Amino acid sequence: MSNDASSIRVLHVCTGLELGGAERIMLNCAVEGRNQGYTSKVAALKSGGEMRSALESQGIAVTELGASAAIPDPFAFRRLLAEIASFRPHLVQGWLYHGNLFALAAARLSRHLTADQLLWGIYNSSLDLKQYPWRMSAVFNAN
């Protein structure tokens, strides 16, 4: 891989594109990356959300994977794998819990990524796992 920033592709995987702090940070990272010459793209598990237009107005491509909040969707995961295969990112940045898990699983199953090409973004006011259901500990320990 060249050190030229224009050759670096970053895929941001997020749960959704609602207005929120992590989504705003993701927008800022994608825009700043673009300003530095990187090619950024966002893959959102859920469809819709106010941040889509903000990303697209800054020239950041968005792909909605069509996952449901209520039911796990293997087809959304398959669409993420296809996105990785076509975009061929040098780096995958997960955002929020479900985005991180999808990014982790995709990185492990993709022939195009290695573990050192994956970053997680976890934003929370308290990471005391005793305050959360057991599933939260499983998410943190997955990587």
Side-chain angles (χ1 to χ4, degrees):
M1 176 174 72
S2 165
N3 287 331
D4 179 18
S6 65
S7 68
I8 297 174
R9 293 178 302 281
V10 180
L11 180 64
H12 299 270
V13 181
C14 62
T15 303
L17 295 173
E18 297 83 16
L19 290 175
E23 294 85 357
R24 177 68 58 190
I25 295 168
M26 179 185 67
L27 169 66
N28 293 341
C29 287
V31 169
E32 184 58 31
R34 187 216 47 223
N35 292 344
Q36 297 294 320
Y38 300 176
T39 301
S40 292
K41 189 170 193 177
V42 172
L45 302 183
K46 297 188 298 183
S47 298
E50 299 88 351
M51 294 297 291
R52 180 179 183 138
S53 62
L55 287 157
E56 291 177 335
S57 72
Q58 293 292 325
I60 309 299
V62 175
T63 298
E64 293 177 339
L65 302 175
S68 165
I71 302 169
D73 185 354
F75 296 108
F77 181 71
R78 189 175 178 125
R79 287 188 285 274
L80 177 59
L81 288 173
E83 187 65 39
I84 289 169
S86 75
F87 186 55
R88 303 290 298 254
H90 295 97
L91 180 67
V92 174
Q93 167 75 59
W95 295 92
L96 302 170
Y97 305 112
H98 294 97
N100 287 326
L101 285 175
F102 265 64
L104 172 65
R108 294 225 170 127
L109 293 176
S110 173
R111 295 184 305 245
H112 307 289
L113 294 172
T114 61
D116 62 343
Q117 291 174 277
L118 175 67
L119 296 173
W120 275 23
I122 297 177
Y123 300 91
N124 201 320
S125 59
S126 172
L127 290 180
D128 179 4
L129 296 180
K130 290 179 254 164
Q131 296 180 12
Y132 298 98
W134 67 269
R135 293 182 310 271
M136 188 66 69
S137 293
V139 169
F140 284 111
N141 292 320
N143 197 13

